[in-house]
Amino acid sequence: MRTQTTHSPGPLGTATRPALSGRGLVKRYGNQHALAGVDIDIQQGEAVAIVGPSGSGKTSLLHVLAGILPVDSGEVLLSGNRIDNLNETKRSELRRTEFGFVFQSGMLVAELSAEENAALPLLLGGMSRSKAIADARQWLDRLGLGGKGTRRPGELSGGEAQRVAIARALAHRPSVIFADEPTGALDTRTGGDTMNALLGAAAENGAAVVIVTHDRDLAQSVPRTVTIRDGRIDTAVRQS
Ligand SMILES: Nc1ncnc2c1ncn2[C@@H]1O[C@H](COP(=O)(O)OP(=O)(O)O)[C@@H](O)[C@H]1O
Ligand SMILES: [Mg+2]
């Protein structure tokens, strides 16, 4: 487990430091403002849902915070350190070590078994194959997939495949998990179960989780909701 020990003291000695912050984030595609100045703080271990209509900028925000997409202006800080100005090699390393990702439809490697898929970030991090597979198996067990580790993605249901993706996102114990419409390809009930599996596993690991969804019902199970509209945080909507 990641231990949640001391928060770094702020300038006044007592303030906690957010895990991840965006300051004045602007992202344009040509004339189109995908993000028109977004400020957001995500605390260590906090779960936040980003909701908003299609095209409002949710995915752009996620990608900017995760260092996948460069910003046109603004800053992204991880534990108080700027990450938006790192070069691509450093950002890629950061994504591999500090972040975990769950996408709408698994993005699992079809040729690999469930446990091999879940073990990938550990193998990329240099762990031995036997240890990585053993760890991955534990994650799969915790997500209710015990005994299914040797199946390939094609032999799993949609909900099971998403839980493999969750195991993969958590296995290297990242500080922040990003999930973009993780339940978008699932029926309502499986979507709810998957959301709970994600929230539970992230909480157990002390990882913050940022979940993009356009489904307000699903967002209700997340403690804090941030609404985005036309590339801006909608402050008219209650934020928690
Ligand atoms: N690669 C891209 N090229 C051009 N426009 C884009 C691109 N990605 C997103 N956009 C535009 O930016 C806006 C925000 O998109 P996005 O962040 O994907 O929103 P959401 O995830 O909320 O649906 C939309 O108007 C979308 O059309
Ligand atoms: Mg999107």
Side-chain angles (χ1 to χ4, degrees):
M1 297 298 95
R2 173 176 289 271
T3 44
Q4 291 282 292
T5 49
T6 48
H7 293 286
S8 323
L12 302 175
T14 51
T16 60
R17 178 176 278 179
L20 190 66
S21 298
R23 298 265 171 275
L25 301 174
V26 172
K27 179 70 199 172
R28 279 184 292 267
Y29 296 104
N31 292 332
Q32 168 79 36
H33 266 89
L35 297 176
V38 169
D39 294 301
I40 188 167
D41 278 328
I42 293 140
Q43 306 300 325
Q44 288 181 32
E46 187 184 30
V48 182
I50 313 270
V51 300
S54 181
S56 56
K58 304 183 297 296
T59 295
S60 299
L61 177 58
L62 198 84
H63 286 184
V64 159
L65 289 173
I68 294 172
L69 203 59
V71 283
D72 291 309
S73 66
E75 298 182 353
V76 182
L77 300 107
L78 178 69
S79 307
N81 301 307
R82 276 187 73 176
I83 60 168
D84 58 278
N85 54 3
L86 299 175
N87 65 32
E88 178 49 32
T89 310
K90 285 243 165 65
R91 277 192 287 144
S92 146
E93 186 187 330
L94 203 70
R95 290 197 296 268
R96 216 174 49 235
T97 55
E98 290 289 331
F99 299 152
F101 296 92
V102 183
F103 299 97
Q104 174 163 343
S105 43
M107 308 261 277
L108 300 174
V109 182
E111 293 77 19
L112 299 182
S113 67
E115 60 197 24
E116 286 168 334
N117 267 285
L120 273 180
L122 299 174
L123 294 168
L124 284 173
M127 190 181 277
S128 74
R129 183 180 163 85
S130 56
K131 171 111 176 53
I133 294 288
D135 272 22
R137 236 173 243 161
Q138 284 190 359
W139 277 105
L140 294 176
D141 284 352
R142 283 166 61 181
L143 286 155
L145 290 171
K148 295 189 177 166
T150 57
R151 292 203 196 172
R152 297 199 181 175
E155 300 164 331
L156 297 169
S157 71
E160 288 169 343
Q162 276 310 64
R163 277 182 280 152
V164 175
I166 293 168
R168 184 183 56 186
L170 282 151
H172 58 298
R173 304 185 186 288
S175 53
V176 187
I177 317 263
F178 295 97
D180 196 351
E181 307 274 4
T183 62
L186 305 173
D187 61 75
T188 307
R189 172 152 178 207
T190 312
D193 291 347
T194 304
M195 187 69 107
N196 288 333
L198 173 58
L199 291 171
E204 237 181 283
N205 225 26
V209 50
V210 186
I211 303 171
V212 160
T213 178
H214 63 264
D215 186 331
R216 288 201 163 267
D217 289 339
L218 273 178
Q220 305 242 312
S221 55
V222 184
R224 179 174 156 220
T225 298
V226 170
T227 302
I228 179 162
R229 219 176 283 282
D230 297 330
R232 288 196 167 80
I233 304 267
D234 189 346
T235 48
V237 180
R238 210 164 59 89
Q239 297 292 313
S240 57

